[in-house]
Structure formats: structure tokens, C-alpha cells
Amino acid sequence: MQDGQDMRDRQRAALARRYGGAAVPSAGPWSGVIDGLLAHRTVRGYKPDALPAGTLETLIAAAQSAATSSNLQTWSVVAVTDAAKKTTFAKLAGGQKHIEQCPLFLAFLADLSRLGRLSDAEGRNLEALPYLETFLVAAIDAALAAQNAVVAAESIGLSTVYIGAMRNDPGAVARELTLPQGAVCVFGLCVGYAMPTHVGEVKPRLSQAMVLHREAYQAGDEAAGRRSYDRLLEDFSRRNEMSAYTWTERVMSRVGRVAAINGRDKLKEQLRRLGFPLR
Amino acid sequence: MQDGQDMRDRQRAALARRYGGAAVPSAGPWSGVIDGLLAHRTVRGYKPDALPAGTLETLIAAAQSAATSSNLQTWSVVAVTDAAKKTTFAKLAGGQKHIEQCPLFLAFLADLSRLGRLSDAEGRNLEALPYLETFLVAAIDAALAAQNAVVAAESIGLSTVYIGAMRNDPGAVARELTLPQGAVCVFGLCVGYAMPTHVGEVKPRLSQAMVLHREAYQAGDEAAGRRSYDRLLEDFSRRNEMSAYTWTERVMSRVGRVAAINGRDKLKEQLRRLGFPLR
């Protein structure tokens, strides 16, 4: 925890950036860690520089330090540095060049196969494994772990971008990583040193009024909030992405048509084939 | 990034605690942020002390700073401080007293209802909303956000515990929080000042050899790793929990029988009723 004018100035500036200067929330206690979290930017361009020895192990120790449901630890990670593999993943993800560029690509797995092997070794059936609930536990635990890795990475000067497109064709990803039944890559994470040309502004988010509810859910005046956010994001994209899309337009282009989710409408069948009955 | 002997000592100590002194990985770059991440402990006992003004807003700003798939922001959070509501959730979660004790309980929602309202307002069908993929995006984004809130909370002296048991009866939780169709509480999070009597040691995790794979998945000699971890966790529980369960025993008791998942075998039907067709 920190006090004083300097802290309050940083705090106000960080919040203004995160909410695009609009509807900036008041804030209480603050820390250098929170400064770091609020300054997060997704980066889609990496220098070829290798990571210092031990970086991977540090990131994974941070990831494993996140909470995990009942300590089941139903996630794993495959660290990919091989150029050919990264090229394959870049293609599977619809041509995302940053997967090829980054020195370290982490494939985060929802992994029930380890408990499956324990079950085999002990000769005991684990009745709850085939349920949607248990897959969800694994996916959520993978996400908690990955976010800790992201926070750790940014704290040592690295940048990241999550790759949800690893779910475009989970079967192909599983073959490439020789995953056993009961393991699936739920997302990837590029890790590396940002190309300075690819570090934009902090992207503004929806106002807290739209996301944070008190005691019960109340949608409130969402129309006004959305119009205001549409303008913020239009300006942001004009300054950072040489486009000018509002949030509403982005949402439409992303979830308006099934074709836009790039095969992920088949996720259920793919998961079943990979050993998740999703009962 | 930090250098010097002090940093290397802290680093070694933090890694030794996280892996219970066994198979401690080498580590490279380090930071105070990583010190904090590795020192994480789940806390299940809270002082009644209220949080300073602005704490909630700070935590939510940190949460919103996490990455979100295509910037869709398909999560929301309900902040609960009302005593009666917390008592209800403590009961729904199978009698978890810390939900009543903590001054702030955050119900994290996978929330597609906001996009649903956008769809209604714009008179455009969002074809991809009813898919399992889109629910998964929402659940993962809620997890990334929540983990940022946890990291922020710990950086200002607060403690947390995730409550997966909010999925025991998602319908009842939805009624209590007056959730619209297309929103579901995927987990809760207690936030507050730890009762010192309830802060145990850092819980050791599986060795990196069991969780981290390189270039491709290779299970390796898992039996030996598991036996060694069984002993670590048995000792940990004897010192911290007045029990003596191995990891294998814990896994069995948690996922061995369907009854042990406390109704979550019905999650799929419950999600469908709450407006997630999971196509």
C-alpha cells in the first residue's frame, strides 16, 4: 500500500486511461502492483529476442501459485519454442503472425488426463470426471493460472497476447502437441519482448456502471453507456488501429454470424472426441 | 526487475515454499510482483472489518484490465455486502462460514445477457451467442478478470478465497441476484482481512515436471512424482489442517463419486434453464 500525492496522481491517471477518461471511478487503496495491472496492453508484435534462462520456470511457478479448485490442479501447459510448431499454430489460428514471432508460446490445457492416469493406477473409477462441471473447473483453473503468468511476465518487462483461436480446431492442436485423451488446449499465450511499434494505448473498457452490480443485477441505462463507449472505442481504434469501429460494430462482426467464430460452433463435438463427454 | 543477492535469496525461498522444498525449479528474472504471486494463500477466515472506501472500485478496475476475448467483455460481477444475502450464499455453498464473515463477496458472472440486450436494441440476431464456445469465452474471461482482482486485493493486504460451490445450485443463486437470462454465477470470491489464525503456509503444488511439458505432451514418470507429492501434501495437511490426507486421497474424495460434486452433475441442465443453450 502506498500513500501521498504521487500515488493519488498515478492512480487517477491509470483509472482515466483504463476508462478512456469517461466515468472514471473513485478508488481507494492502491499499490505498485495495481499500477501494473491497470497498464496492461495486449501486444501483437514481438522482437525475436530469446528470453533469459529460467524465465519459463518463473512464469510457471507464478501460474501454479494461482488458486485451483480443491487443489485438483486440472491444467497443464505445453511450452512451444520450435519454429515449425509455432508456424503451424499461427496458421491454425487464422494467420496470427505474432505466434510465429514470439520466442515462447504457451499452450494452456484443460487437463483431466492426469487424474485419469491416477484413476487407472489406483484402479478406482473417478465418477465425476466426465461431467461438464469438471471440464469447466479445468478451463477456469487454466485461466486463473494463465493470468498469473501474464501478470508475472509483465512485471519483468515481457508482453503477452492470449490466443483463443487455438479452439478453432482443437483436434489439430491436440495432434500437434500429442495430447492424451482428456486434455485440450483451451487457449494459447504468446510471450516475448514487444516491438515498440506494436505497443498501443491502454484500451478503454466499459464503464463500471455497466459491469459492476450491487447486491443484485440491475442493467440500468445501458443504452447511454453503450453509446458513450461506442464513441470511446471508435476514437481509440482511429488512433491505434487505423480503423474506426464502435464497440457495437465489433460485437456484431464477432458474434453476429456463426461463420465468424471460425469453426468453434463445433467445439462440443471436438471436446467429446478429445475425451470430454460433457455429461 | 531486480538484481542482487537479496533478490536471489527471496526467489529461492519463494520457490522452495511453493514446491514444498521438492524439485525446486531454477528461476530467471524476478520481481516484487512475482514475490507476491508466489506467496498466495487461500484464506477461509475473515475479520469483520469493513474495506476502505473505493476498494471495490479499485479491484474492479484491476479485473477489467485483464484481457477479454475480442474485447467482448462477456462477464459481470455482483458485489454483495448484505448480511442476509451472504448467509444465503454460505448455505447454498454447503455451509461455508467465510462467505458470511467476509465484508465483500464478489459473484462473478459469465454474462451474455448484455450482448443479448445489445442484440435486441439493434434488432440484429447474434447467431454465435447460443454456442458452448461463447459460454466458455464468458467463463474464461470471468476467470481472468477475477484473478486480476485477487492479485490486486493481495497487493493491498487483503485475502481471498474462490467459491466454486456457487455452481452447486446456479438457479438459486440467479434468483437471489435477480440475474437475467444469459447470466450465471460461475464462481464467487470472498474478499477481506484475514484472521491471522486462518493464514496457513503456502500450499505446495505438483512439481513443474508434472505440469509443464516442452514442445509436446509427455506424461513421463508420473507415479514417482505423485508419490512424492502425496507425502508433501500429507505433511502440509498435518501441519495446517489437523488432518493427514495425501493428494491421491483428496482427488478420490473430490471426484471419486458423483455425490461429492454436490449437484454440479446437473450443471448442463441448469445452464440451459438460465439461458445458455450450449449448442
Side-chain angles (χ1 to χ4, degrees):
Chain A
M1 220 177 300
Q2 298 177 25
D3 287 297
Q5 189 57 39
D6 169 60
M7 193 272 286
R8 282 190 296 276
D9 289 348
R10 279 185 3 242
Q11 176 175 4
R12 259 193 299 268
L15 286 163
R17 274 192 296 272
R18 180 51 71 193
Y19 294 98
V24 177
S26 63
W30 201 259
S31 68
V33 172
I34 297 174
D35 273 323
L37 295 173
L38 263 79
H40 165 77
R41 295 151 170 86
T42 281
V43 169
R44 293 191 174 80
Y46 294 93
K47 297 184 199 167
D49 308 26
L51 307 184
T55 302
L56 171 62
E57 290 79 0
T58 298
L59 299 184
I60 300 310
Q64 288 191 268
S65 298
T68 151
S69 183
S70 303
N71 199 35
L72 291 175
Q73 305 177 64
T74 50
W75 63 275
S76 296
V77 62
V78 185
V80 177
T81 60
D82 178 71
K85 274 209 163 67
K86 286 190 292 170
T87 301
T88 302
F89 291 139
K91 278 184 201 148
L92 283 171
Q96 298 195 43
K97 281 279 174 203
H98 35 276
I99 302 177
E100 284 184 78
Q101 285 177 346
C102 68
L104 174 63
F105 183 70
L106 297 175
F108 278 90
L109 314 179
D111 187 2
L112 301 180
S113 80
R114 187 163 44 238
L115 299 191
R117 290 187 293 277
L118 180 156
S119 161
D120 291 345
E122 298 288 316
R124 287 267 303 270
N125 184 27
L126 296 182
E127 285 181 10
L129 281 195
Y131 286 86
L132 172 63
E133 156 68 14
T134 313
F135 166 71
L136 187 59
V137 160
I140 289 175
D141 279 4
L144 302 181
Q147 188 56 21
N148 257 17
V150 164
V151 172
E154 294 183 349
S155 80
I156 52 174
L158 295 164
S159 291
T160 61
V161 52
Y162 282 103
I163 308 294
M166 298 296 273
R167 298 192 301 274
N168 290 357
D169 188 349
V173 173
R175 283 190 295 279
E176 190 67 25
L177 297 175
T178 65
L179 301 188
Q181 281 278 299
V184 62
C185 179
V186 280
F187 50 79
L189 186 75
C190 297
V191 182
Y193 295 103
M195 269 195 311
T197 47
H198 283 68
V199 182
E201 298 169 46
V202 166
K203 184 180 279 187
R205 298 285 193 232
L206 290 168
S207 69
Q208 290 203 347
M210 290 187 76
V211 169
L212 169 61
H213 304 264
R214 290 164 198 258
E215 310 302 339
Y217 197 104
Q218 289 157 314
D221 185 8
E222 234 171 30
R226 183 155 62 87
R227 275 192 299 272
S228 147
Y229 186 58
D230 271 347
R231 284 191 297 272
L232 268 182
L233 221 56
E234 194 178 12
D235 292 346
F236 172 86
S237 66
R238 195 174 288 126
R239 287 193 307 271
N240 290 271
E241 297 164 354
M242 303 202 283
S243 63
Y245 293 117
T246 66
W247 188 59
T248 300
E249 286 162 348
R250 282 155 189 262
V251 168
M252 297 290 185
S253 74
R254 192 66 202 136
V255 289
R257 293 171 316 110
V258 169
I261 60 172
N262 300 314
R264 298 191 218 166
D265 50 310
K266 307 278 187 295
L267 183 65
K268 196 159 60 177
E269 294 95 289
Q270 289 252 27
L271 285 172
R272 288 201 167 128
R273 243 175 273 140
L274 294 173
F276 298 89
L278 305 177
R279 211 172 278 167
Chain B
M1 218 176 306
Q2 298 178 26
D3 288 296
Q5 188 57 38
D6 169 60
M7 193 270 286
R8 281 191 298 275
D9 288 348
R10 276 183 8 240
Q11 178 175 4
R12 259 194 298 267
L15 286 163
R17 275 192 296 272
R18 181 51 70 194
Y19 293 98
V24 178
S26 64
W30 201 258
S31 68
V33 173
I34 297 175
D35 273 324
L37 295 173
L38 263 78
H40 166 76
R41 296 150 169 85
T42 280
V43 169
R44 293 191 174 80
Y46 294 92
K47 297 186 201 166
D49 309 26
L51 307 184
T55 303
L56 172 62
E57 290 78 1
T58 298
L59 299 184
I60 301 310
Q64 288 191 269
S65 299
T68 151
S69 184
S70 303
N71 198 35
L72 291 175
Q73 305 178 64
T74 50
W75 64 274
S76 295
V77 63
V78 185
V80 176
T81 60
D82 178 72
K85 274 208 164 66
K86 287 190 292 170
T87 301
T88 302
F89 291 138
K91 277 183 200 147
L92 283 171
Q96 298 194 43
K97 281 279 173 202
H98 35 277
I99 301 177
E100 285 184 77
Q101 285 177 346
C102 68
L104 175 63
F105 182 69
L106 297 175
F108 277 90
L109 314 178
D111 187 1
L112 301 180
S113 79
R114 187 162 45 236
L115 298 191
R117 290 187 293 277
L118 180 157
S119 161
D120 291 345
E122 298 288 317
R124 287 269 302 271
N125 184 27
L126 296 181
E127 286 180 10
L129 281 195
Y131 286 86
L132 172 63
E133 158 66 15
T134 313
F135 166 71
L136 187 60
V137 159
I140 288 175
D141 279 4
L144 301 181
Q147 187 58 20
N148 258 16
V150 164
V151 172
E154 293 183 350
S155 80
I156 52 174
L158 294 164
S159 292
T160 62
V161 52
Y162 282 104
I163 309 294
M166 298 295 273
R167 297 191 303 274
N168 290 357
D169 188 349
V173 173
R175 282 189 296 279
E176 190 67 25
L177 297 175
T178 65
L179 301 188
Q181 282 278 300
V184 62
C185 179
V186 280
F187 50 79
L189 186 74
C190 298
V191 182
Y193 295 103
M195 269 198 306
T197 47
H198 284 69
V199 183
E201 298 169 45
V202 166
K203 185 180 278 187
R205 296 285 192 232
L206 289 167
S207 69
Q208 291 203 348
M210 291 187 76
V211 170
L212 169 61
H213 304 264
R214 289 164 197 259
E215 309 302 339
Y217 197 104
Q218 291 158 314
D221 184 8
E222 233 171 30
R226 182 156 62 87
R227 273 192 300 272
S228 146
Y229 187 58
D230 271 346
R231 283 190 299 271
L232 269 181
L233 220 57
E234 193 178 13
D235 291 346
F236 172 85
S237 66
R238 194 174 288 126
R239 286 192 309 269
N240 290 272
E241 297 164 354
M242 303 203 282
S243 63
Y245 294 116
T246 66
W247 188 59
T248 301
E249 286 162 348
R250 281 155 189 262
V251 169
M252 298 291 186
S253 75
R254 193 66 202 136
V255 289
R257 293 171 315 111
V258 169
I261 60 173
N262 300 314
R264 298 189 219 169
D265 50 311
K266 307 277 187 295
L267 182 65
K268 196 158 61 175
E269 294 95 289
Q270 290 252 27
L271 285 172
R272 288 198 169 129
R273 240 173 276 140
L274 294 173
F276 298 89
L278 305 177
R279 212 171 276 168

